[in-house]
Amino acid sequence: MKSLVFLEHADGAITKGSLGVLGKAAALGEAAGVVLGGGAADVAASAGAFGASTVYAVDDPALAAPLPQPRVDALEAVVRHAGADNVLFASSVLAADVAAGLAARLDAGLNWDVVDLAVDGDALVAKRPALGDTVLVDAGWTSTPRLALVRSGTFDPVESGGTATVETVTAEFQDFSTQAELVEQLQEAATGPSIEDADTIVAGGRGLGAPEGFQLCEGLAEALGGAVAATRAVVDAGWYPYSTQVGQTGKTVSPRLYVALGISGAIQHKVGMQGSGVIIAVNKDPNAPIFDFADLGVVGDLHTIVPKLTELVRARKG
Ligand SMILES: Cc1cc2nc3c(=O)[nH]c(=O)nc-3n(C[C@H](O)[C@H](O)[C@H](O)COP(=O)(O)OP(=O)(O)OC[C@H]3O[C@@H](n4cnc5c(N)ncnc54)[C@H](O)[C@@H]3O)c2cc1C
């Protein structure tokens, strides 16, 4: 079974999510990568160490801006050139647009929000959540290539130590594909690791009481060398940016340590962080659902506990 994986890249490096999907593709059978845009050939070779046997690179001025439509043309060219049973994407704003466009172009089926993939005979079976993330269902395809958009953060990259053959492919671009223009792109200011990359996450919920409560999360995250995440309740309230939201409508994370402060543990939050190594919860309500799946629970007021915990971590580190 041959899978092509769309390898999104930024600042000369393939994203962690894309490499995670590549690792999964390699476990399913033959895995090839596709790198599109500026410096594609340079970036492509690095995918060999993460399971790609071949990486197809398309570099063209039409792909300079991170716009989806020219990427649909380029991916179509690669699929027609290389052939593929599956085309897999790690979910992102760009990847979702490209996957949807490619599905329309190839008249192919697209399963999205996929959290696992398995081979069953000649078939590929995708697991995806349903009914508000309360159950996982098996989903299939009725034709090939099968397109799948994998929920962000689902698979960790696996270093294979291999090397990839890089093959350059030329694409033709449709007139309508090059009509959109990127007018401006803003970079969100960030310090420390992103929640996708962090080994430690300190997440805050409504129990923080006010936006200023996030200073407690930031202090503890800094002491632990981690990143700060948030629940949808506080993101919707405008206390913290959406890019840090964990859960069904946010990101899926799997750090080694997840500290949940003032978070009730709603199912829609749980699905985004239940793969974490160790989960520690601080909540003043002993019946909060988060204690059902936390490895360590502290019942109490976070405003009392967290400053002391942060102080303790800093002292131990010192
Ligand atoms: C379709 C859909 C999608 C959703 N997607 C997401 C998603 O992606 N991510 C997500 O997080 N949610 C999502 N939600 C919302 C989810 O259902 C919950 O409403 C949300 O996770 C609750 O956030 P919270 O834990 O911060 O707030 P609450 O549920 O209000 O919990 C606050 C907790 O803080 C505790 N607390 C209060 N004061 C203190 C204190 N001083 N010290 C210690 N503890 C204290 C309380 O006991 C309580 O348990 C979604 C909902 C729907 C319907």
Side-chain angles (χ1 to χ4, degrees):
M1 185 176 284
K2 179 172 178 177
S3 302
L4 279 182
V5 180
F6 174 67
L7 299 174
E8 205 171 330
H9 57 103
D11 303 326
I14 299 168
T15 62
K16 186 182 169 195
S18 299
L19 292 176
V21 174
L22 182 61
K24 184 68 193 181
L28 298 174
E30 184 187 345
V34 185
V35 179
L36 309 175
D42 296 338
V43 176
S46 63
F50 294 90
S53 51
T54 308
V55 184
Y56 302 97
V58 186
D59 199 351
D60 189 282
L63 297 163
L67 292 169
Q69 197 56 45
R71 283 169 171 71
V72 174
D73 293 344
L75 258 182
E76 180 192 12
V78 174
V79 171
R80 299 207 188 282
H81 167 80
D85 300 302
N86 316 314
V87 187
L88 310 179
F89 300 82
S91 190
S92 73
V93 173
L94 179 66
D97 278 354
V98 177
L102 188 68
R105 182 71 62 83
L106 300 176
D107 196 20
L110 168 65
N111 275 308
W112 70 98
D113 207 16
V114 168
V115 294
D116 202 4
L117 289 161
V119 177
D120 182 12
D122 290 337
L124 182 69
V125 181
K127 289 231 179 279
R128 65 179 306 274
L131 302 177
D133 264 344
T134 53
V135 292
L136 283 179
V137 296
D138 287 349
W141 290 259
T142 54
S143 62
T144 54
R146 315 170 185 99
L147 272 51
L149 188 63
V150 177
R151 188 184 271 201
S152 70
T154 298
F155 302 120
D156 279 332
V158 183
E159 285 207 46
S160 64
T163 50
T165 309
V166 178
E167 202 178 308
T168 307
V169 178
T170 343
E172 284 187 15
F173 296 89
Q174 310 279 346
D175 285 344
F176 60 79
S177 295
T178 49
Q179 296 301 303
E181 188 190 334
L182 186 74
V183 178
E184 190 183 14
Q185 193 174 15
L186 299 173
Q187 206 76 33
E188 189 178 28
T191 52
S194 71
I195 61 169
E196 290 99 325
D197 296 330
D199 273 344
T200 299
I201 289 180
V202 179
R206 202 151 30 194
L208 293 172
E212 297 72 45
F214 266 97
Q215 287 164 11
L216 290 174
C217 293
E218 287 163 355
L220 182 56
E222 195 208 343
L224 292 168
V228 176
T231 65
R232 177 167 165 176
V234 292
V235 169
D236 284 355
W239 294 7
Y240 227 61
Y242 172 68
S243 58
T244 63
Q245 184 181 314
V246 167
Q248 183 187 336
T249 41
K251 289 175 179 158
T252 303
V253 294
S254 48
R256 286 166 61 195
L257 173 65
Y258 191 92
V259 185
L261 305 177
I263 293 176
S264 59
I267 180 74
Q268 295 90 354
H269 186 76
K270 181 185 172 190
V271 293
M273 45 69 81
Q274 61 192 351
S276 305
V278 174
I279 298 170
I280 299 178
V282 181
N283 197 304
K284 69 178 183 184
D285 175 7
N287 296 315
I290 194 143
F291 291 133
D292 293 342
F293 55 94
D295 298 288
L296 182 71
V298 183
V299 179
D301 187 337
L302 64 88
H303 294 99
T304 314
I305 294 162
V306 179
K308 288 183 180 156
L309 181 59
T310 307
E311 210 175 292
L312 198 65
V313 173
R314 284 195 183 125
R316 287 273 170 95
K317 274 176 76 181

